[in-house]
Amino acid sequence: MANVAIFVPHNGCPNKCSFCDQRHITGCVFQPDKEYVEETLKKALDSLKEKSKEAEIAFFGGSFTAIDREYMLLLLESTKPFIDNFKGIRISTRPDAIDEEILSILKEYKVTSVELGAQSMNDGVLRANNRGHSAEDVKAASSLIKDFGFSLGLQMMTGLYKSSDEADTQTAEEFIRLKP
């Protein structure tokens, strides 16, 4: 499956994690607008042709559900003329930026997949890396996402500061229990 990626650099995240400064890493500060989203999707449809039904529109790079609500809705609204030509929309976000209200909004706009930047299920590792959420937040968000019928993805980072092979293995085992 293909993704038509629209990069929303480091928006919405209230923290500066030890491993993440996307503006510095990517050099990208451009914030996509309605015209950019529409142009990107037009090009993707031309390129993918009949395979577009297998592809998801993907908003990556920031905590999508934590960005300014008006901006998030503008981006989602920009997909409306194109969405029926795609499998759906995939977003990535933080576990502590998920609740029933936000999931209801995502459902309205035909979001199909939610990836959580969980990174670890060890609270000590999460604190040491300035994540700003807990392992319990990951569990709660994962459960809500699945209850709303979305496909769940969990992003894991091994070798984080203050982690260990044992902590990383524990994270992988807990992720498996969450059934992403």
Side-chain angles (χ1 to χ4, degrees):
M1 177 192 343
N3 285 325
V4 179
I6 298 168
F7 193 66
V8 185
H10 208 78
N11 265 342
C13 187
N15 300 342
K16 187 172 180 184
C17 300
S18 65
F19 52 83
C20 184
D21 181 352
Q22 290 181 11
R23 288 187 175 124
H24 179 76
I25 292 166
T26 65
C28 185
V29 294
F30 169 76
Q31 300 298 310
D33 57 16
K34 180 181 191 294
E35 292 75 25
Y36 178 83
V37 171
E38 291 173 348
E39 187 60 35
T40 299
L41 297 179
K42 283 178 193 170
K43 286 180 185 175
L45 286 175
D46 287 345
S47 175
L48 292 169
K49 302 198 184 336
E50 68 278 348
K51 292 188 180 202
S52 68
K53 284 289 195 184
E54 300 170 23
E56 288 177 311
I57 299 165
F59 288 104
F60 290 141
S63 296
F64 192 76
T65 60
I67 62 178
D68 174 77
R69 181 67 53 89
E70 192 174 309
Y71 182 51
M72 182 187 83
L73 292 173
L74 174 118
L75 294 173
L76 289 169
E77 195 68 31
S78 301
T79 68
K80 275 188 166 180
F82 306 93
I83 192 61
D84 290 337
N85 295 302
F86 290 93
K87 181 178 178 184
I89 300 172
R90 170 178 293 272
I91 60 111
S92 62
T93 195
R94 301 174 49 80
D96 54 344
I98 291 292
D99 60 28
E100 290 182 6
E101 177 192 6
I102 201 75
L103 292 173
S104 293
I105 291 169
L106 297 178
K107 218 26 145 179
E108 281 179 47
Y109 285 94
K110 299 186 180 181
V111 171
T112 48
S113 302
V114 179
E115 290 184 22
L116 291 179
Q119 315 320 358
S120 177
M121 292 299 281
N122 181 295
D123 285 333
V125 172
L126 293 170
R127 276 190 303 279
N129 289 276
N130 196 31
R131 285 296 296 156
H133 68 80
S134 68
E136 191 54 43
D137 292 329
V138 175
K139 291 176 186 174
S142 295
S143 179
L144 262 180
I145 288 164
K146 291 173 72 176
D147 287 349
F148 269 73
F150 294 100
S151 170
L152 169 67
L154 293 171
Q155 299 168 358
M156 177 182 173
M157 292 184 125
T158 59
L160 288 172
Y161 177 63
K162 296 283 185 175
S163 194
S164 64
D165 289 346
E166 294 79 22
D168 290 344
T169 299
Q170 176 236 353
T171 291
E173 290 169 347
E174 288 195 44
F175 278 11
I176 290 166
R177 282 192 286 279
L178 293 173
K179 298 183 179 172

